């Protein structure tokens, strides 16, 4: 079952619907990086290129769960 979360990105309200298991991993990513939910989503948005946001979230969660921490070293564009 999908769980929807809302966030404001670049001044625009949007929502992302993912399975609960992906949110669990993403919550762990945010905690490990010291980012709020909004901060993590902003960082994903800034680094996703043309990949849809929900897909970028799933790809990050899968990579992180598999031990790939390269996202932690990516520089934000702030």
């Amino acid at each position: 079952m999908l769980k929807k979360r809302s966030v404001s990105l670049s001044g625009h309200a949007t929502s992302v619907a993912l399975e609960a298991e992906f949110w669990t991993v993403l919550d762990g990513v945010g905690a490990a990086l010291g980012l709020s939910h909004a901060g993590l989503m902003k960082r994903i948005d800034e680094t996703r290129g043309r990949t849809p946001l929900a897909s970028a979230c799933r790809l990050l969660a899968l990579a992180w769960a598999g031990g790939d921490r390269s996202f932690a070293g990516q520089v934000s564009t702030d």
Side-chain angles (χ1 to χ4, degrees):
M1 177 175 227
L2 295 177
K3 293 177 73 175
K4 189 179 283 191
R5 293 190 184 178
S6 298
V7 67
S8 177
L9 297 173
S10 302
H12 301 282
T14 190
S15 61
V16 179
L18 300 173
E19 294 77 8
E21 295 82 1
F22 285 107
W23 285 125
T24 298
V25 175
L26 292 173
D27 289 342
V29 173
L33 300 179
L35 297 170
S36 65
H37 167 70
L40 177 63
M41 297 307 290
K42 182 176 186 258
R43 189 153 164 201
I44 293 169
D45 184 51
E46 293 169 346
T47 60
R48 69 186 170 101
R50 296 182 58 102
T51 302
L53 183 57
S55 296
C57 290
R58 285 186 179 94
L59 291 171
L60 171 59
L62 288 171
W64 194 270
D68 180 353
R69 300 296 187 261
S70 60
F71 181 79
Q74 292 179 2
V75 177
S76 175
T77 59
D78 278 354

